[in-house]
Amino acid sequence: MESQLALIEQSFNYRYSVWVREALDELPDNFTITDPSISGHPIVFASRGFLKMSGYSKEEVIGKNGRAFQGPGTSRRSITEIQEAIQEERTIQTILLNYRKDGTPIWMLFHMSPVFSKEDGRVIHFVAVQVPMSRKPRWSGSGPGRDGVCEDGCRSRDIVFGSCRREVCSDSVLELEHVLAFESLFDSDNRDDEEPREASDQEKRRAAAAVNNILSLLTHYSELTGKLVCEKRCTLSGIGLLGASLIISLGRIKQSFVLTDPHLPEMPIVYASDAFLKLTGYARHEVLGCQCMFLSGVDTDPSTLLQVKESIQTEQACTVRILNYRKDRSSFWNLLHISPVRNASGKIAYSVWVQMEEGCGYQDAQGLSPEMRQRSTVGAVKVAVRSSSMGAGPSKS
Amino acid sequence: MVVKQLKDDNFLLKCATPDQAKCPQFSFGSIQIPLYCFASQSLDDSGPFGRFSCIPDDEPSTLESLLLAQWEDRMWKGIYRYDVTTSEIKIIGGRRKFLAQLNEEWNMDHLSDPDENEVCWRGDSFIFNWVKHHEELLFCVASGEKAIPELIPTAPVPNASILVLSNVTPVEYGHVFLVPHGFTSISQFMDARSLEMVTRVAMEVNNRSFRVFYDCSMPSASLYFQACYFSNPLPVEVMPVVTLWDNGLGGTRICSLIDYPIKALLFESKSNVKVSVEVLAEICSCLQGKNIPYSFLISDCGKRIFLFPQMRASANSHALSSWECSGHFVFKSRNDFDQVTEEAMLERMGTASLDEPGFQVVKQLCCSIASKLAS
């Protein structure tokens, strides 16, 4: 633990000099700075505002992972979104439920941005600003029997909470103690923490402005040490760009498809194309982190679902005709093709699910039939994943 | 002087056996396949990469969608011997960042084994067994008359076209053969029209991962190209270069690579690839005439072509394929794959590379052909 604290001290002073802390402490905002290069991705700086808001002391916060403040009510979707953003080294803004030291929940607009080294384009730190939000009034009619399909299409809040918990637990032994602490704090049912309304523009602006202030301070102080940092990756070095490049490659493909991560519990959706959102009527944030089966409904044939599950378990491609439901609960026949997608190591990285609505199939402007489109989408995804996953780290040298 | 050599009748006779000189034509009968027609615009008036520009946000082009759809379709039908995406690729440690791929089922000699081979390779030409294996023919590419490219779902195979065939033992995803069909020239020589068509395929697929390869040193002398998707970038593509010749505002330059283990030339076109293609076709014919084996790689959506002239194969050396020249090595054995070192690959490339005096001659040849054609 001592050595990690030394590492944290060094991580900060080396880059920004010892005087940066004073300057950062002048800022009124709630924020933390984390270092992804240190094992466990610990918090290396926490603002006064953050400490006040969370109720923790500085010593209790430094060295912890940001997940330590999440708890049973934290939505799995937000966690996935944040994890994704970290992996892809990009900015994210999402609504997040964290917990104070006294166990009370706090909804916030969470805005995180990477800080890059000017020299080699590596991510040096992440800055995470937290703007507290007021809670939305309770849903009318919500009661104990409030299971089943929730608004965003995820099957059940209970499942979402459950998987979230498992995830927090499975992270590391170190974090286990925090989870245990949460469990003792939350013996009672806390599931009435409804998600607040969407963040207002004012809140979004406030978060973005805070991030800008912090980034310009960090940039300024990095000039003192000569170890320059910047907000945007400035070098062309391919290292670490792979995540972003995959997103870009996938963005080219205009058909309806999602990628799921078969290595995560519940196999959540980790990418959804614009055409998928258009087809199903959901927003991206409603879809990411959900199980791909969420499109099925009351009249969906269970044996078809079983067939899909089997094909994923056996790592085989399959094509099925399945009854799916949009967000507005209108149904459509989906000629669904599912295929494992492998990375440059030959390992399965994702499953691709390509949807094709039956009965609305004419040749498109390019002259390809819907069936051809579906195949070309699978091919394009395979190429994108295989090309982008070519890690800079040699597997053997 | 150089070009005169090309017209030397002895040269043609030496290279073309009577069988090859017949210019094999395939009989397609009533076969109907998808036909992709280029826009009528030719390479020289395509402007400064107007619609051919490689913009990453672009939707996959029609040609790329067609290629991927047909290739994946054959995957669903199970015609490939294996799922090539299960093969592992790694970066070989060292400053060169060479790539090693483990493909245990890959058969390099696939083409030279007529018994094993569906689209079999006999008498130095592709012989198609349509009854059994027409599935391997994916589609066909030809010139068109219209202002925009056109995809005809089924059509008979026209002359002066490029047949796109899937390789049942692929090296990478999307591995195809590009076989010029029905051109009037003698089929085993590199000719500018076939090369232009193939370069245009690379341009219109419009994906930087898609590379076209040519190896003159294969067991057969019949003209065909290969193409597939490779992870970005190949080591050769990031090497520094020195310019040997350029045509100024014409936007074409010929360079030689600096500090690369195999002697290589780069033909780079800013806007108009026609000059590159014509010079390359000429230089290839000259090399063939001099019995110098060579390979080339068409990368960057046709804008850059790397030429690798090599030593004549001898007892202790064999010519490298164009992906090997580009820094991508395929291994069939796990052990070889695990043990590979940069030093070993450098040595392999070093032995295949043309020597310095030979390369000087090739460079001069290139510049004189380029100046002559550009004037």
Side-chain angles (χ1 to χ4, degrees):
Chain A
M1 208 60 202
E2 278 308 314
S3 66
Q4 203 203 12
L5 285 177
L7 218 55
I8 287 166
E9 191 85 4
Q10 201 187 1
S11 148
F12 220 59
N13 296 350
Y14 172 78
R15 201 49 80 167
Y16 310 114
S17 84
V18 289
W19 296 289
V20 72
R21 287 169 205 276
E22 261 181 56
L24 288 172
D25 270 333
E26 298 293 322
L27 297 174
D29 311 285
N30 309 331
F31 65 94
T32 56
I33 299 175
T34 59
D35 185 344
S37 68
I38 300 177
S39 151
H41 192 181
I43 293 171
V44 295
F45 181 84
S47 76
R48 285 185 180 167
F50 176 85
L51 296 174
K52 196 172 164 220
M53 176 185 74
S54 68
Y56 287 96
S57 71
K58 190 176 138 198
E59 288 69 26
E60 286 172 307
V61 169
I62 300 298
K64 302 287 186 297
N65 184 283
R67 281 184 298 249
F69 305 97
Q70 297 160 4
T74 310
S75 118
R76 188 189 157 69
R77 196 184 64 218
S78 307
I79 296 174
T80 312
E81 279 181 323
I82 295 168
Q83 279 173 345
E84 244 189 357
I86 292 171
Q87 206 177 354
E88 289 155 16
E89 309 182 344
R90 60 174 164 81
T91 293
I92 183 182
Q93 205 174 58
T94 186
I95 292 169
L96 186 70
L97 179 66
N98 269 1
Y99 292 84
R100 296 190 184 88
K101 191 179 181 184
D102 64 9
T104 51
I106 175 163
W107 283 102
M108 58 179 65
L109 177 63
F110 180 87
H111 183 128
M112 188 187 73
S113 286
V115 184
F116 297 100
S117 155
K118 197 156 197 166
E119 186 194 352
D120 58 11
R122 268 186 325 122
V123 171
I124 301 301
H125 292 116
F126 283 99
V127 172
V129 168
Q130 289 138 34
V131 177
M133 294 171 70
S134 55
R135 277 163 61 175
K136 153 173 119 170
R138 283 185 174 210
W139 287 341
S140 57
S142 64
R146 175 167 52 80
D147 278 359
V149 182
C150 67
E151 193 182 34
D152 62 7
C154 296
R155 292 220 106 175
S156 152
R157 284 238 149 191
D158 284 325
I159 292 174
V160 175
F161 288 143
S163 53
C164 160
R165 241 175 205 227
R166 273 201 302 283
E167 176 156 304
V168 174
C169 292
S170 66
D171 266 315
S172 75
V173 182
L174 247 177
E175 278 162 29
L176 194 61
E177 58 197 61
H178 298 286
V179 176
L180 290 175
F182 280 130
E183 294 203 340
S184 61
L185 283 167
F186 294 105
D187 277 344
S188 57
D189 187 9
N190 272 285
R191 289 173 192 173
D192 54 355
D193 307 318
E194 304 298 354
E195 189 165 322
R197 63 187 173 11
E198 242 183 81
S200 68
D201 285 344
Q202 195 201 348
E203 283 160 337
K204 285 180 183 170
R205 272 200 302 274
R206 203 179 131 193
V211 168
N212 280 341
N213 284 340
I214 299 160
L215 288 176
S216 60
L217 262 181
L218 294 180
T219 310
H220 175 72
Y221 278 86
S222 73
E223 283 162 6
L224 297 180
T225 66
K227 311 279 186 301
L228 295 179
V229 299
C230 46
E231 300 171 43
K232 295 226 164 62
R233 198 190 300 270
C234 306
T235 80
L236 291 173
S237 112
I239 301 162
L241 279 172
L242 301 168
S245 76
L246 178 57
I247 294 286
I248 293 167
S249 305
L250 295 173
R252 293 178 70 209
I253 307 164
K254 304 300 178 197
Q255 269 59 55
S256 171
F257 71 97
V258 296
L259 294 187
T260 60
D261 186 340
H263 307 299
L264 292 177
E266 319 260 317
M267 296 188 286
I269 294 175
V270 294
Y271 181 88
S273 72
D274 291 350
F276 175 86
L277 304 175
K278 202 176 158 205
L279 172 71
T280 62
Y282 289 104
R284 181 163 278 121
H285 71 90
E286 293 173 319
V287 168
L288 293 180
C290 282
Q291 246 196 314
C292 205
M293 300 287 194
F294 82 95
L295 290 181
S296 54
V298 278
D299 288 325
T300 306
D301 184 352
S303 69
T304 313
L305 290 174
L306 201 66
Q307 203 185 332
V308 168
K309 277 192 185 124
E310 268 174 18
S311 86
I312 292 171
Q313 268 159 14
T314 55
E315 306 185 344
Q316 297 295 316
C318 87
T319 308
V320 294
R321 181 172 176 269
I322 187 169
L323 189 69
N324 277 166
Y325 292 83
R326 297 186 177 85
K327 188 178 180 182
D328 64 10
R329 307 319 293 158
S330 64
S331 64
F332 64 98
W333 282 102
N334 179 3
L335 297 173
L336 175 67
H337 180 81
I338 302 160
S339 175
V341 183
R342 293 172 183 274
N343 60 18
S345 310
K347 306 272 188 313
I348 293 179
Y350 308 103
S351 294
V352 64
W353 303 51
V354 188
Q355 294 78 21
M356 187 169 81
E357 188 179 355
E358 193 181 69
C360 68
Y362 296 100
Q363 282 182 6
D364 63 1
Q366 292 187 333
L368 291 164
S369 67
E371 289 76 18
M372 298 263 280
R373 277 268 153 233
Q374 192 170 34
R375 285 160 179 71
S376 81
T377 302
V378 176
V381 170
K382 283 183 177 176
V383 168
V385 170
R386 197 153 161 85
S387 298
S388 70
S389 54
M390 191 59 237
S395 66
K396 283 200 176 74
S397 49
Chain B
M1 187 194 92
V2 171
V3 180
K4 190 178 151 216
Q5 201 176 5
L6 265 178
K7 292 173 180 158
D8 183 347
D9 284 343
N10 288 333
F11 156 71
L12 287 178
L13 286 173
K14 190 173 65 190
C15 294
T17 64
D19 194 36
Q20 290 165 343
K22 275 184 214 153
C23 183
Q25 294 285 318
F26 319 122
S27 171
F28 288 98
S30 56
I31 292 288
Q32 301 254 329
I33 52 169
L35 172 64
Y36 177 86
C37 298
F38 292 128
S40 55
Q41 215 178 16
S42 69
L43 285 184
D44 51 338
D45 54 15
S46 60
F49 276 111
R51 59 191 186 82
F52 295 125
S53 58
C54 205
I55 303 165
D57 287 342
D58 268 4
E59 191 174 351
S61 66
T62 305
L63 186 56
E64 182 176 28
S65 297
L66 175 65
L67 172 73
L68 290 170
Q70 292 292 78
W71 212 87
E72 186 66 23
D73 178 71
R74 300 311 189 268
M75 187 118 172
W76 297 14
K77 288 174 177 157
I79 77 155
Y80 304 107
R81 303 269 173 84
Y82 46 85
D83 176 359
V84 69
T85 63
T86 60
S87 71
E88 182 182 345
I89 303 174
K90 68 169 184 181
I91 296 170
I92 302 171
R95 85 184 165 96
R96 301 286 180 170
K97 305 250 186 298
F98 291 140
L99 300 164
Q101 181 180 8
L102 176 64
N103 189 338
E104 286 167 300
E105 289 163 286
W106 181 54
N107 181 5
M108 186 167 56
D109 302 322
H110 172 67
L111 284 175
S112 55
D113 186 354
D115 295 333
E116 270 287 295
N117 195 1
E118 283 79 0
V119 174
C120 68
W121 185 260
R122 212 173 57 213
D124 290 333
S125 64
F126 282 98
I127 307 286
F128 298 91
N129 183 344
W130 293 112
V131 186
K132 274 167 70 188
H133 301 295
H134 65 271
E135 282 289 319
E136 287 172 34
L137 185 52
L138 300 183
F139 61 94
C140 174
V141 179
S143 312
E145 320 268 273
K146 301 198 174 170
I148 54 163
E150 187 187 14
L151 175 58
I152 304 165
T154 57
V157 176
N159 273 343
S161 58
I162 303 284
L163 296 169
V164 181
L165 295 119
S166 60
N167 183 346
V168 297
T169 56
V171 162
E172 248 304 334
Y173 193 86
H175 193 167
V176 289
F177 295 116
L178 305 170
V179 187
H181 162 69
F183 288 89
T184 46
S185 56
I186 296 171
S187 70
Q188 69 272 29
F189 288 106
M190 182 57 59
D191 75 295
R193 281 185 70 204
S194 302
L195 185 58
E196 180 182 326
M197 290 275 276
V198 165
T199 307
R200 202 150 173 194
V201 168
M203 289 165 78
E204 297 210 8
V205 166
N206 194 30
N207 185 328
R208 280 165 195 269
S209 303
F210 185 76
R211 318 300 208 296
V212 178
F213 301 96
Y214 177 79
D215 296 302
C216 163
S217 53
M218 291 302 263
S220 158
S222 185
L223 182 64
Y224 72 98
F225 304 82
Q226 302 185 64
C228 65
Y229 289 89
F230 270 127
S231 304
N232 282 323
L234 292 172
V236 72
E237 293 169 338
V238 296
M239 294 309 297
V241 293
V242 59
T243 304
L244 302 174
W245 178 89
D246 72 70
N247 64 352
L249 293 174
T252 300
R253 62 172 183 153
I254 301 172
C255 312
S256 79
L257 269 71
I258 302 168
D259 191 32
Y260 195 66
I262 188 161
K263 298 274 188 288
L265 292 171
L266 166 63
F267 297 76
E268 193 174 39
S269 322
K270 276 211 185 75
S271 56
N272 174 355
V273 302
K274 189 126 186 158
V275 177
S276 287
V277 162
E278 283 174 350
V279 176
L280 182 63
E282 286 271 12
I283 191 87
C284 287
S285 296
C286 289
L287 293 173
Q288 221 158 333
K290 288 173 184 288
N291 253 336
I292 297 174
Y294 65 91
S295 300
F296 61 76
L297 159 75
I298 303 178
S299 81
D300 216 352
C301 309
K303 278 176 253 177
R304 297 199 298 160
I305 306 177
F306 294 88
L307 173 69
F308 309 99
Q310 298 181 38
M311 289 301 276
R312 287 190 192 99
S314 65
N316 51 7
S317 78
H318 68 97
L320 298 181
S321 68
S322 43
W323 50 75
E324 288 172 313
C325 295
S326 310
H328 185 109
F329 298 89
V330 183
F331 296 88
K332 288 188 70 175
S333 113
R334 163 62 74 177
N335 198 42
D336 292 350
F337 175 76
D338 286 344
Q339 306 288 323
V340 62
T341 60
E342 186 177 275
E343 292 67 41
M345 294 305 102
L346 283 171
E347 199 187 319
R348 199 154 138 189
M349 294 169 101
T351 25
S353 174
L354 199 59
D355 55 15
E356 188 56 43
F359 190 57
Q360 287 302 335
V361 174
V362 173
K363 281 200 276 195
Q364 282 165 13
L365 201 66
C366 245
C367 293
S368 66
I369 290 173
S371 304
K372 187 169 190 301
L373 285 175
S375 63

